[in-house]
């Protein structure tokens, strides 16, 4: 019986030794994953500033030289502007009393065309398609009111004279009477263009407004214009 007790104690001791901290195998520690460095943030390009709003533009531009003449010539009376339907300027003229603004070649041509004429006024013009012209309005030696329009070198572009309405070609009188029956004619001018024949301008009132109607000699209408009063301011 005594030996059995010793054996049991020994077995128990062996069991304790086998299970105790001194002989038990230690578990491997779980590896901690290493931290991966985050990539640097992508560089953000700032958005460009909004484009500035375009500067407002004006309705157009008149001939610079004529604007200067309007501000500097002696005895400026008025500025006349003729427009096309699209708003473009077809004719621009400054009426004045300044002979110094008229080239000498034009004054010589005037004497050759209307010898002994009395000058009434001058015009500095820009006319499509001729460009800048100089016009002189005169009373001729035989008391006609006429105009000479020439380039700076004296080359004549056209002459124009007042005529009696009875002197209108029959096709022109008939065309006007058909278009404006019973309307009285106020004024008629005959224009002779160098190398391009004649035109006739009839001025009349209708509907409380002043009209200018231009014809070819065969009665074909060239254009019809309304005369509108206006005020134009130029730099001093």
């Amino acid at each position: 019986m005594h030996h059995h007790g010793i054996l049991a104690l020994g077995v128990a001791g062996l069991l304790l030794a086998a299970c105790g901290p001194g002989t038990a195998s230690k578990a491997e520690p779980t590896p901690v994953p290493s931290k991966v460095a985050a990539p640097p943030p992508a560089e953000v390009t700032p958005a460009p500033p909004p484009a500035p709003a375009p500067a407002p533009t004006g309705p157009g531009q008149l001939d610079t030289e004529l604007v200067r003449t309007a501000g500097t010539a002696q005895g400026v009376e008025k500025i006349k502007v003729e427009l096309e339907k699209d708003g473009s300027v077809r004719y621009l003229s400054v009426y004045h009393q300044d002979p110094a603004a008229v080239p000498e070649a034009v004054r010589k041509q005037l004497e050759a065309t209307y010898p002994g004429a009395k000058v009434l006024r001058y015009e500095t013009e820009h006319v499509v398609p001729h460009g800048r012209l100089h016009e002189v309005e005169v009373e001729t030696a035989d008391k006609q009111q006429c105009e000479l329009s020439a380039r700076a070198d004296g080359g004549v572009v056209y002459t124009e004279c007042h005529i009696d309405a009875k002197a209108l070609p029959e096709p022109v009188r008939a065309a006007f009477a058909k278009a404006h029956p019973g309307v009285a004619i106020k004024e008629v001018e005959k224009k002779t263009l160098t190398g391009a024949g004649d035109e006739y301008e009839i001025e009349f009132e209708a509907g409380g407004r002043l009209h200018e109607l231009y014809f070819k000699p065969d009665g074909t209408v060239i254009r019809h214009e309304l005369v509108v009063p206006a005020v134009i301011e130029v730099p001093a």
Side-chain angles (χ1 to χ4, degrees):
M1 294 294 293
H2 180 74
H3 293 289
H4 288 293
I6 295 173
L7 179 61
L9 181 60
V11 172
L14 289 173
L15 289 173
L16 288 174
C19 296
T23 59
S25 61
K26 295 183 179 179
E28 292 292 330
T30 303
V32 178
S34 59
K35 292 184 178 181
V36 178
E43 185 176 350
V44 178
T45 303
T57 57
Q61 180 173 333
L62 300 181
D63 182 280
T64 304
E65 181 63 23
L66 267 68
V67 172
R68 186 195 66 79
T69 299
T72 60
Q74 297 298 313
V76 172
E77 299 174 357
K78 65 179 180 180
I79 296 176
K80 182 178 179 180
V81 181
E82 294 182 8
L83 305 175
E84 300 289 6
K85 288 184 177 180
D86 63 0
S88 59
V89 178
R90 187 190 68 81
Y91 171 95
L92 174 65
S93 180
V94 179
Y95 291 64
H96 59 86
Q97 296 287 343
D98 193 348
V102 180
E104 182 180 358
V106 176
R107 295 197 298 269
K108 288 182 176 180
Q109 183 61 60
L110 175 68
E111 181 59 31
T113 304
Y114 299 117
K118 175 186 176 182
V119 173
L120 301 177
R121 64 178 53 85
Y122 303 97
E123 297 179 40
T124 303
E125 307 175 321
H126 193 112
V127 184
V128 175
H130 305 291
R132 190 167 298 132
L133 302 176
H134 299 272
E135 184 171 296
V136 187
E137 184 178 341
V138 300
E139 183 182 87
T140 65
D142 58 357
K143 304 302 181 183
Q144 273 192 302
Q145 283 198 352
C146 293
E147 300 169 13
L148 168 75
S149 183
R151 294 182 293 272
D153 62 2
V156 177
V157 176
Y158 64 82
T159 59
E160 189 170 32
C161 292
H162 290 251
I163 63 172
D164 192 286
K166 295 177 182 179
L168 282 168
E170 178 57 31
V172 175
R173 285 195 290 115
F176 178 80
K178 182 179 180 180
H180 303 280
V183 174
I185 293 175
K186 292 190 65 174
E187 184 176 285
V188 177
E189 290 183 315
K190 177 183 178 181
K191 177 185 286 186
T192 300
L193 296 103
T194 301
D198 296 336
E199 294 180 2
Y200 294 88
E201 176 191 342
I202 298 177
E203 185 178 291
F204 63 99
E205 288 185 356
R209 307 186 76 175
L210 186 61
H211 297 247
E212 292 179 353
L213 193 52
Y214 296 79
F215 290 93
K216 292 181 179 180
D218 63 1
T220 302
V221 174
I222 300 171
R223 64 183 181 276
H224 182 182
E225 298 176 341
L226 285 171
V227 179
V228 179
V231 174
I232 298 178
E233 298 181 2
V234 300

